[in-house]
Amino acid sequence: MEADGGIGRADAARRLAGYSMLAGLLAGLLMVPLAWTAGVGARDSADWLLSEPVDLDELKAPQRSQILAEDGTLIATFYRQNRVDVPLDKMAPVVKQAVLAIEDSRFYEHGALDTRGTMRALMSNLNNGGEAAQGGSGITQQYVKNLLYMNAESEEEKQEAVETTTGRKLRELRYAVAVERRYPKDEILEKYLNIAYFGDGAYGVEAAARRYFSVSASKLTLNQAATLAGILKNGNFYNVRLNGEGARNRRNVVLDRMAELGWITPEQARKEKDKPLVLKLTETKNGCTESKAPFFCDYVQREILDNPIFGKTKKERERLLWIGGLKIRTTLDWRTQNAAHKALLRHVPAKNSEKKAAAQVLVEPGTGEIKGMDVGRELGPDGEPGKTWINFAADASHGTSVGMAAGSTFKAFTLAAAFDEDMPIGERITAPVAYSPTGFRDCKGKDVSDTTALRNSSDGEGGRSFSLLTGTWHSVNTFFLKLEKEVGLCDTVKMAKKLGIRRADGKPLQEYASFTLGFNDVSPLRVAAAYAAFGARGKYCEPIAIKQITRSDGKKLKVPSANCEQVIDKGVADAVNHVMSGVLTKGTARGLSLGRPAAGKTGTVDNYSAAWFAGYTPELSSAVWVGDPRGGYKYPMTNVCLPTHCGGPVYGATIPGPIWRDTMVEALRGVEATGFRRPPSYFFRKGSGEDKVRMPDLRGLKPDEAIDKLRAMNMDYRISSSKEHSDRYPEGTVASTDPAPGASIDPGDSTTVVLTLSEGPEPHEGPPPHEEGPFTPELPFQMTPFQVPFLSR
């Protein structure tokens, strides 16, 4: 037997010459009707039969594609046919023997047409003699038949590929002749074993081995190999899982045929036939619904299916993904993804009784790489509890979501526009309790004023003066409306666009006075990417999910670029970072610090219809949305009861903020912290922007006590190297401060409080005091005996 060895191309050519006359004769006989119709003879028919089809190179066996995480681990598999190609030397020898024994034992002895096998099958059919051990088509013809069927585009073409007609047989034979000319026998057998259908959705011997026995093709035993070979006759009828008895009987036929050919002994065949069929099934998951990162997977899938970079038509792109055998290396970081998923479910469980949902996206500043994306539900029918087809984290083009109003997270763009126009941090604006935004014009110059009085949300305040710093910390609506008017509505809109903000439904941003209050519907992905630009000191990168795509032949495909660009001045970004860092320590999100430099902004949408938090470090940016998929205005975030919040309204810092904090702490664990840069000094030309305070009286306090008070006020301090005497304040305590107690100071400017310690009272001048002894009164003069009685009187 030559199943383990091929033949040379010279041998193949000689064999082709030997059967070409037979092929020509057969073609002439079979194509007589065609010749009469077309006016050609048998010689022309034979020439056609032996000519190579022009589309031979285009016919490829469908391959399954894989979406991989950044570290190369599997996210999801896509296939129309579950197939894993392996070389012939990675298949157990008994596999080749079993398949050849039952399908084409003379494979290495004949060319494209096995005349003996064909005549035997023909006679069997004429005599209606029942089932034959072998079919009339050899391995090469079966390979061609499978290949043509798998490349059929329509149902009509598929039917044509399998119909029992003279024309189909001749077409198959023509391709088989070309394949035998082009490839050695071993390569043809390899191709066949990688394309043949083994039932239960398994195409190719490797997929079949994994499906039925949970082993690779190289580890198959004789019994398992004979079982798989038996399935080839009818992948449905002899399916091992569905028809164990039929599969066992067919396996025994294969074993008997191997013994008949002398490839195994009769004793081996008998022993193997006595063994039961033992299955160990493995399910090969297909598509995003089976993925551990389903919404990120769905995002990548939609990127390939909808981006023209991957094909001119939708059909081309679908074929590329589902049968192209792609290795799609993505940007996903499992630690970040798992941290996001865990945090979302902790605060907003997938099947919560309130029917609320949450979504989060994490983007790396400076690269645009999406490191995590989750919705906290399973990907599936919206009617089923805890499932949804809608990716609330992405735009409509990548998840069918039309977006959600972003609330006060948009105030960051007005703040950035103000700094872009060199407005100082200490610039103050009086924010009224209510404000009617008049005098606003959009980027086309149209008056978009509104006579409706807008008020501050319940997590803001008004009725006094705020700086850019404190107005942001307290998220004062009327302050930002007046700031937007001073900066210009159009400039604010342009700033948002520079930072990649766009409506989730793909329509242009709406430009009205309340733009800064975030009424436009956007996705968490867009907000996270915009805030990432602040973390990258003004460099905006278009969010990307794909790093590299490799085809099955090893060639790399072009993938979308992040197109990173410096869109705002570094100093402007530094100023934004400086101000929004305080939101986490002194503003609406105080208490959500990460223990490392971070900045962020809360977003409570009008009427509590949703809540947001967007925050970032120089290493990672994230945006979190929490709301109701049924509609936020109809089902507001009030009086909801979730695991970490029950009763009362939900603000940006109530649920979204803790989700953000929990995710970021875990995702950044072990990552070296980087600080934000101090803004240029000209931004402080009107002070730090913090409200002035009175210098407290620290005199008499121990140094540690005084320092604690200064730290609580965010004041810098130092202890003087010199000390001073004090009769009032004990040694080692604070004797004086500079500035003096009661002085008006700006806790955020460059003032450093100097603490001078007491060294106790100043010592007395003169001779040292007498040593203690018996008391002796001091008399003013020397007394005489005469005087003593007189004194006693």
Side-chain angles (χ1 to χ4, degrees):
M1 178 190 131
E2 299 181 40
D4 296 326
I7 62 171
R9 293 188 182 275
D11 292 336
R14 285 192 294 271
R15 183 172 295 112
L16 283 169
Y19 69 66
S20 62
M21 291 179 63
L22 174 61
L25 177 60
L26 179 62
L29 291 172
L30 292 174
M31 295 188 67
V32 168
L34 179 62
W36 285 345
T37 303
V40 297
R43 183 187 299 274
D44 294 325
S45 299
D47 290 341
W48 172 85
L49 182 66
L50 297 175
S51 63
E52 185 170 292
V54 294
D55 62 345
L56 182 61
D57 290 328
E58 299 174 9
L59 299 178
K60 298 183 184 300
Q63 303 291 319
R64 65 184 190 178
S65 295
Q66 292 182 321
I67 296 180
L68 309 173
E70 188 175 38
D71 62 3
T73 55
L74 183 67
I75 294 175
T77 303
F78 287 82
Y79 59 83
R80 287 181 180 165
Q81 298 171 358
N82 180 23
R83 171 180 291 101
V84 182
D85 280 3
V86 292
L88 199 61
D89 60 9
K90 295 296 183 182
M91 303 176 194
V94 288
V95 175
K96 295 174 281 186
Q97 291 175 339
V99 170
L100 288 172
I102 199 65
E103 292 296 321
D104 190 355
S105 61
R106 299 182 58 257
F107 171 67
Y108 283 92
E109 301 168 21
H110 64 73
L113 179 66
D114 180 9
T115 55
R116 188 186 305 175
T118 300
M119 293 304 296
R120 182 178 64 248
L122 178 60
M123 292 303 296
S124 177
N125 289 336
L126 289 174
N127 296 327
N128 194 21
E131 180 179 313
Q134 288 180 269
S137 296
I139 289 292
T140 306
Q141 286 178 272
Q142 291 185 52
Y143 164 68
V144 167
K145 179 180 178 180
N146 286 331
L147 192 63
L148 291 172
Y149 179 81
M150 291 173 183
N151 281 270
E153 293 287 342
S154 63
E155 287 301 320
E156 183 180 352
E157 290 178 352
K158 290 180 179 179
Q159 184 62 34
E160 183 183 342
V162 297
E163 63 184 350
T164 307
T165 64
T166 301
R168 193 265 292 178
K169 278 293 184 183
L170 283 172
R171 183 180 181 221
E172 262 181 32
L173 184 56
R174 182 184 181 217
Y175 278 90
V177 169
V179 168
E180 288 269 354
R181 278 178 169 172
R182 179 177 291 195
Y183 305 111
K185 284 287 189 177
D186 276 355
E187 192 168 345
I188 296 172
L189 180 59
E190 177 184 298
K191 289 176 179 293
Y192 171 71
L193 289 172
N194 278 316
I195 201 173
Y197 184 54
F198 289 89
D200 234 29
Y203 290 83
V205 68
E206 180 70 18
R210 296 183 188 183
R211 171 58 182 151
Y212 294 117
F213 307 114
S214 297
V215 298
S216 65
S218 63
K219 301 295 183 181
L220 287 169
T221 64
L222 172 59
N223 200 289
Q224 293 168 339
T227 302
L228 293 183
I231 299 174
L232 290 171
K233 182 173 180 62
N234 189 318
N236 294 318
F237 184 77
Y238 295 115
N239 185 313
V240 191
R241 181 177 62 85
L242 301 177
N243 184 7
E245 183 178 358
R248 185 169 54 252
N249 292 338
R250 181 65 179 170
R251 174 203 66 182
N252 294 345
V253 171
V254 175
L255 291 168
D256 285 340
R257 176 62 177 163
M258 293 178 73
E260 179 185 334
L261 293 169
W263 296 352
I264 61 173
T265 66
E267 180 64 17
Q268 283 179 296
R270 186 187 63 76
K271 287 183 178 180
E272 295 298 328
K273 287 163 63 176
D274 289 340
K275 292 180 180 179
L277 283 180
V278 180
L279 300 182
K280 187 178 180 182
L281 298 173
T282 295
E283 189 74 35
T284 301
K285 297 178 179 180
N286 188 13
C288 293
T289 56
E290 306 291 339
S291 174
K292 291 183 179 179
F295 293 94
F296 178 84
C297 171
D298 187 60
Y299 183 93
V300 174
Q301 173 183 311
R302 291 175 186 273
E303 176 69 19
I304 293 174
L305 295 180
D306 296 331
N307 195 327
I309 195 173
F310 298 114
K312 294 180 180 179
T313 66
K314 182 88 170 182
K315 192 172 184 179
E316 286 182 37
R317 298 190 289 268
E318 286 179 348
R319 284 180 58 82
L320 179 67
L321 176 62
W322 287 95
I323 70 174
L326 306 179
K327 296 289 186 183
I328 306 165
R329 184 68 66 94
T330 71
T331 59
L332 185 88
D333 173 67
W334 278 120
R335 182 169 67 172
T336 302
Q337 175 68 21
N338 292 336
H341 185 67
K342 183 179 178 181
L344 287 171
L345 294 184
R346 180 186 302 127
H347 295 275
V348 187
K351 297 181 181 180
N352 67 84
S353 60
E354 301 285 351
K355 298 184 178 180
K356 305 305 180 189
Q360 180 173 202
V361 179
L362 297 107
V363 175
E364 184 176 64
T367 68
E369 293 185 3
I370 303 170
K371 295 301 181 182
M373 175 184 288
D374 200 70
V375 172
R377 291 191 176 188
E378 294 181 33
L379 186 65
D382 293 88
E384 297 183 22
K387 293 185 179 183
T388 181
W389 288 122
I390 301 174
N391 186 352
F392 296 108
D395 294 344
S397 61
H398 288 74
T400 70
S401 172
V402 294
M404 297 75 68
S408 295
T409 60
F410 263 45
K411 290 173 181 174
F413 309 132
T414 309
L415 179 67
F419 288 139
D420 196 48
E421 296 179 10
D422 292 334
M423 194 175 290
I425 293 173
E427 184 75 23
R428 289 190 167 270
I429 297 174
T430 299
V433 174
Y435 178 71
S436 298
T438 58
F440 285 78
R441 293 187 178 276
D442 63 16
C443 290
K444 294 182 179 179
K446 180 183 177 181
D447 189 334
V448 290
S449 300
D450 190 348
T451 57
T452 304
L454 301 177
R455 296 179 175 273
N456 294 302
S457 60
S458 52
D459 60 345
E461 54 186 286
R464 64 185 181 91
S465 171
F466 295 90
S467 67
L468 267 64
L469 186 86
T470 56
T472 303
W473 287 359
H474 296 282
S475 195
V476 185
N477 286 352
T478 54
F479 171 85
F480 271 94
L481 286 166
K482 293 187 71 174
L483 178 62
E484 183 184 54
K485 183 175 182 180
E486 190 165 336
V487 170
L489 170 60
C490 184
D491 286 351
T492 298
V493 172
K494 287 180 177 178
M495 177 58 69
K497 288 181 177 179
K498 281 183 183 179
L499 294 167
I501 292 296
R502 65 191 66 167
R503 282 172 58 100
D505 60 9
K507 298 178 181 179
L509 289 169
Q510 293 183 320
E511 302 174 19
Y512 296 104
S514 53
F515 181 89
T516 189
L517 305 183
F519 70 85
N520 274 283
D521 292 334
V522 297
S523 68
L525 175 63
R526 289 292 163 190
V527 176
Y531 275 51
F534 294 138
R537 302 189 70 205
K539 179 191 290 186
Y540 173 75
C541 300
E542 188 70 18
I544 56 172
I546 301 172
K547 300 186 79 167
Q548 178 181 289
I549 297 181
T550 307
R551 298 193 322 191
S552 56
D553 60 6
K555 292 183 179 179
K556 291 181 173 56
L557 299 180
K558 184 179 180 181
V559 298
S561 170
N563 295 318
C564 297
E565 182 182 357
Q566 191 76 33
V567 296
I568 58 176
D569 183 77
K570 291 181 180 180
V572 170
D574 293 337
V576 172
N577 299 337
H578 172 78
V579 170
M580 294 214 298
S581 294
V583 173
L584 298 173
T585 56
K586 299 183 178 182
T588 54
R590 55 187 173 276
L592 294 177
S593 298
L594 303 179
R596 62 193 295 148
K601 184 71 188 72
T602 54
T604 304
V605 185
D606 188 32
N607 294 326
Y608 304 104
S609 60
W612 288 70
F613 189 86
Y616 58 96
T617 71
E619 298 81 23
L620 194 62
S621 173
S622 167
V624 179
W625 164 85
V626 178
D628 198 307
R630 299 169 296 175
Y633 287 99
K634 187 176 182 180
Y635 302 97
M637 299 293 292
T638 54
N639 298 315
V640 299
C641 196
L642 293 166
T644 57
H645 173 84
C646 194
V650 174
Y651 302 109
T654 306
I655 296 179
I659 291 175
W660 172 84
R661 178 197 57 205
D662 293 352
T663 302
M664 294 287 282
V665 167
E666 183 61 31
L668 294 172
R669 192 181 304 279
V671 177
E672 184 178 354
T674 304
F676 295 119
R677 300 287 189 91
R678 182 173 174 81
S681 58
Y682 60 80
F683 283 117
F684 296 99
R685 62 185 183 275
K686 287 191 177 182
S688 71
E690 292 196 49
D691 295 332
K692 291 186 180 296
V693 297
R694 294 288 179 181
M695 178 65 196
D697 190 351
L698 304 176
R699 293 173 297 179
L701 297 179
K702 294 179 180 179
D704 289 346
E705 296 172 336
I707 288 171
D708 285 343
K709 286 182 175 292
L710 293 175
R711 282 176 174 168
M713 296 174 63
N714 198 32
M715 296 291 296
D716 291 330
Y717 63 89
R718 69 179 177 85
I719 297 176
S720 174
S721 58
S722 61
K723 298 182 179 180
E724 63 181 58
H725 292 287
S726 173
D727 294 330
R728 183 174 181 181
Y729 302 111
E731 183 178 0
T733 64
V734 176
S736 65
T737 62
D738 182 19
S744 179
I745 59 174
D746 184 339
D749 65 14
S750 57
T751 301
T752 299
V753 176
V754 180
L755 303 176
T756 301
L757 303 184
S758 168
E759 57 180 351
E762 188 173 0
H764 293 285
E765 295 183 359
H770 293 290
E771 293 183 0
E772 292 185 2
F775 174 74
T776 303
E778 261 187 29
L779 298 177
F781 52 85
Q782 182 67 41
M783 294 173 57
T784 65
F786 174 77
Q787 295 172 311
V788 173
F790 175 77
L791 289 174
S792 65
R793 285 197 304 265

